[in-house]
Amino acid sequence: MSTERERTPSPTISEVAEAAGVGRATVARTLGGYGSVSPKTRDRILAAAKELGYRPNSIARSMTTGETRTLGVVLADVGNPFFAGVLRGISDAAREAGYDVIVLSTDESVEQEAAAIEVLVDKQVDGIALAPAAGRRETLPHLDVVAKRGIPLVLLDRLVDTVAADAVVINNREASREAVEALIAQGHRRIGFVWGPVTNEPAADADDLRRILDHALWSDGERLLGYLDALERAGIPFDTSLVTHVLKNEQQATRAVLGMLALSDAPTAIFATETDALTGALRAMRQRGLLCPEDISLIGFDDSSWASVMTPPMSVVAQPMHRLGVLTAECLLARVAGSDAPVATHVLEASFIARDSVAPAAR
Amino acid sequence: MSTERERTPSPTISEVAEAAGVGRATVARTLGGYGSVSPKTRDRILAAAKELGYRPNSIARSMTTGETRTLGVVLADVGNPFFAGVLRGISDAAREAGYDVIVLSTDESVEQEAAAIEVLVDKQVDGIALAPAAGRRETLPHLDVVAKRGIPLVLLDRLVDTVAADAVVINNREASREAVEALIAQGHRRIGFVWGPVTNEPAADADDLRRILDHALWSDGERLLGYLDALERAGIPFDTSLVTHVLKNEQQATRAVLGMLALSDAPTAIFATETDALTGALRAMRQRGLLCPEDISLIGFDDSSWASVMTPPMSVVAQPMHRLGVLTAECLLARVAGSDAPVATHVLEASFIARDSVAPAAR
């Protein structure tokens, strides 16, 4: 490798045009393979291009075709195992179709999402996959430019009512209900839920909670609604002190779970709806010297390789991350190719995997 | 969102040129802000551009400036937690500097790496960060075009002797030696190592192993050399049956560790140099009903959130993943900005974190 900073790029269309003694546009038409050029001129241009070692580049092609063969992907955090798995799926399907992927993280900030969308529109990506940072009922004015330019958009992992685009999500509500019902079936009636919505004060009751969820992320809200569904079906009263109302990070989960465990009527089981929620719950239990499942039964979300080799192996709701990514890219590429099929929401099934982290309720 | 497929793009430079009655090149010079244009012509062009609602896009800017403000990142697997963490660091530093990131996975295949490099050169990225899939002594002819075009390149996580580019890696050899010495300090002399190099037959002895490592990934090789260093310093003879020689995935690790555990002189401790190696070892122990650390002491690599909440909490070598990514992007951006500093290898320190997965050797 040379560390020489001077670039020696492929000759430009202008240089080919000068060598062939024709205009730039004629060269572009000839090398781009569109429009009409006389055979004689065409031969002269191809000879000049060959002589100069011209190699068409993607930027020149983009100028003529309007395509960049690049997809933009906007996620919460590319370092998060769930989104890393999804990105791998998107990436695999995009490569397969000859597309590349520009990826941007929002850290769940709508402002960062707006900035990311602006970047992708400016880069003229052919399509955008977005895991929105906004709540399910919010409006997203930063997507107006995407619609106006006719750039295909697919929502990923989360729905937003005001955005009529294709979407690929999982059945969070049903999968969560099933997980909580597995706890109830073992006699648990005091079941902690990590993560609840971030609020200044806890929800007063289940109806208040449902109202709050209108402003929460769709996926978070659905998981909590699944929890409420399971409680209601079993006739178990909702207790707001068993639902965390903190920012979504492991430290906050640990603190919130420590708070639950200090209640006089502490939970006997916890449903943790993200990896960080589960590790936070485990950390809190460790600090209090509580064992799983003897003292507290646990069910997590996402089946990482760790979950099944822990002591005890963790029962989890497993999301098809790679498939979610592949299907998102496929939907997006179909739109890029001009599909005018009706807008559709694709719902993939998560599966509940029962292992050894749930025991019958002792109390 | 409209699902209308027809695009309504910003007017092109050609349309502005036609409206202003000047040539394309003059418009490009004026809107690109370079070269000289008469004030009168300039005013006419700006008026036409405003009239048509012209908004310069990044492709047009790239045509004039030769910059795409995009970095290419080529990793083994973006879905792997280590590389996801590194990518997040690269992404953060790139965003900070106004650059975006195209990411491609190689699955440790040199062919896929060559294809990825070709894509990135074609896309005219401003710089490339590469975690090479090739062994430390291999030649990489697919990087010739990168050198020829003068595209800045930074090696990430792994060195290749034949590539004289900046590199950002961690001190794998010293960190691994330290981890193995922690096992030796507890009386362990039969220490398994997962992952060794993939070979048709196991290395005959330590010298043979060192020769094999010339063709292995730099990072894998360094970790194994650190293991050999520790054994040598302690006067412990090398036993090839304690080093896995299988493909790097969890299933193969599980099988290989089951093989070790079946030896009449089985290991009393295992050093697992990747997350999948550690979970594979734990799975093998679980299948054999062996407990950590009572039956087998364990040290892993990478400090995921799981490692510290397991029973027992795992002792690990923690790599500064995010910092590795940030520093890689910073090195690359310095070269993009024209730095002609001598080529440098930056070595970040991994830290050994002692927890409860190591106990004194019983046998």
Side-chain angles (χ1 to χ4, degrees), chain B residues 197-210:
Chain B
V198 181
T199 53
N200 288 327
E201 51 185 315
D205 53 32
D207 285 340
D208 187 33
L209 186 58
R210 286 194 182 88

Side-chain angles (χ1 to χ4, degrees), chain A:
Chain A
M1 285 297 301
S2 159
T3 54
E4 193 62 35
R5 292 274 47 76
E6 204 58 47
R7 293 198 176 206
T8 55
S10 154
T12 63
I13 290 187
S14 302
E15 287 167 312
V16 175
E18 200 182 319
V22 300
R24 245 184 85 86
T26 314
V27 173
R29 280 206 303 281
T30 305
L31 299 179
Y34 64 100
S36 71
V37 185
S38 79
K40 202 178 133 193
T41 306
R42 186 184 166 79
D43 288 350
R44 203 161 71 222
I45 290 168
L46 292 177
K50 195 174 168 190
E51 171 88 12
L52 289 168
Y54 176 80
R55 184 168 170 273
N57 67 54
S58 68
I59 292 178
R61 276 199 307 277
S62 299
M63 281 298 274
T64 58
T65 63
E67 286 175 4
T68 55
R69 297 192 78 78
T70 303
L71 304 179
V73 178
V74 183
L75 304 169
D77 175 11
V78 71
N80 169 298
F82 168 74
F83 284 113
V86 171
L87 176 60
R88 182 61 208 256
I90 294 177
S91 209
D92 286 351
R95 273 311 272 292
E96 182 82 20
Y99 282 74
D100 301 296
V101 165
I102 291 182
V103 62
L104 296 160
S105 301
T106 65
D107 288 323
E108 306 290 15
S109 145
V110 175
E111 289 70 33
Q112 284 197 50
E113 176 178 307
I117 294 291
E118 196 175 330
V119 163
L120 294 175
V121 169
D122 184 59
K123 294 253 181 197
Q124 297 190 288
V125 293
D126 294 324
I128 296 175
L130 168 66
R136 64 196 300 169
R137 305 244 192 276
E138 311 290 337
T139 55
L140 303 181
H142 54 275
L143 292 182
D144 290 351
V145 62
V146 176
K148 196 175 145 205
R149 296 278 183 100
I151 301 172
L153 172 75
V154 173
L155 297 185
L156 159 64
D157 185 47
R158 302 150 181 193
L159 301 177
V160 177
D161 292 352
T162 59
V163 180
D166 291 333
V168 183
V169 297
I170 72 148
N171 62 338
N172 286 291
R173 186 167 182 166
E174 293 70 26
S176 296
R177 177 174 53 72
E178 200 184 336
V180 176
E181 283 176 345
L183 294 169
I184 293 172
Q186 294 294 319
H188 295 280
R189 294 178 62 86
R190 300 285 294 165
I191 301 170
F193 182 94
V194 194
W195 314 103
V198 181
T199 53
N200 289 326
E201 50 185 316
D205 54 32
D207 286 339
D208 187 34
L209 186 58
R210 287 194 182 88
R211 275 190 298 273
I212 291 171
L213 291 184
D214 280 355
H215 304 283
L217 283 185
W218 179 84
S219 47
D220 289 353
E222 289 290 295
R223 292 173 193 177
L224 189 40
L225 289 172
Y227 168 83
L228 293 178
D229 290 346
L231 296 187
E232 257 171 31
R233 289 192 186 192
I236 298 173
F238 168 75
D239 179 348
T240 195
S241 67
L242 295 182
V243 174
T244 58
H245 288 71
V246 296
L247 288 174
K248 291 167 69 176
N249 63 56
E250 193 190 292
Q251 290 68 35
Q252 298 255 8
T254 303
R255 278 187 48 197
V257 172
L258 282 171
M260 279 182 205
L261 297 176
L263 294 170
S264 59
D265 196 6
T268 60
I270 290 174
F271 178 41
T273 62
E274 266 188 30
T275 293
D276 283 348
L278 180 57
T279 54
L282 284 162
R283 205 172 299 282
M285 288 169 59
R286 177 170 291 282
Q287 285 182 26
R288 287 284 308 274
L290 298 173
L291 296 177
C292 171
E294 295 83 346
D295 301 309
I296 306 276
S297 289
L298 277 175
I299 295 180
F301 228 87
D302 289 334
D303 192 27
S304 73
S305 59
W306 288 101
S308 54
V309 294
M310 293 191 72
T311 304
M314 288 287 136
S315 301
V316 295
V317 177
Q319 299 190 78
M321 301 183 295
H322 190 267
R323 179 73 196 132
L324 193 64
V326 168
L327 191 56
T328 298
E330 286 175 352
C331 284
L332 196 51
L333 289 166
R335 292 295 180 190
V336 170
S339 162
D340 58 0
V343 166
T345 295
H346 303 271
V347 182
L348 296 178
E349 298 225 341
S351 48
F352 173 62
I353 303 176
R355 296 199 181 103
D356 304 333
S357 60
V358 177
R363 298 175 231 188

Side-chain angles (χ1 to χ4, degrees), chain B residues 26 30 35-47:
Chain B
T26 315
T30 304
S36 71
V37 186
S38 79
K40 204 178 130 190
T41 306
R42 186 184 167 78
D43 287 351
R44 204 160 69 223
I45 290 167
L46 292 177

Side-chain angles (χ1 to χ4, degrees), chain B residues 66-78:
Chain B
E67 286 175 4
T68 54
R69 296 192 80 77
T70 303
L71 303 179
V73 178
V74 183
L75 303 169
D77 174 10
V78 71

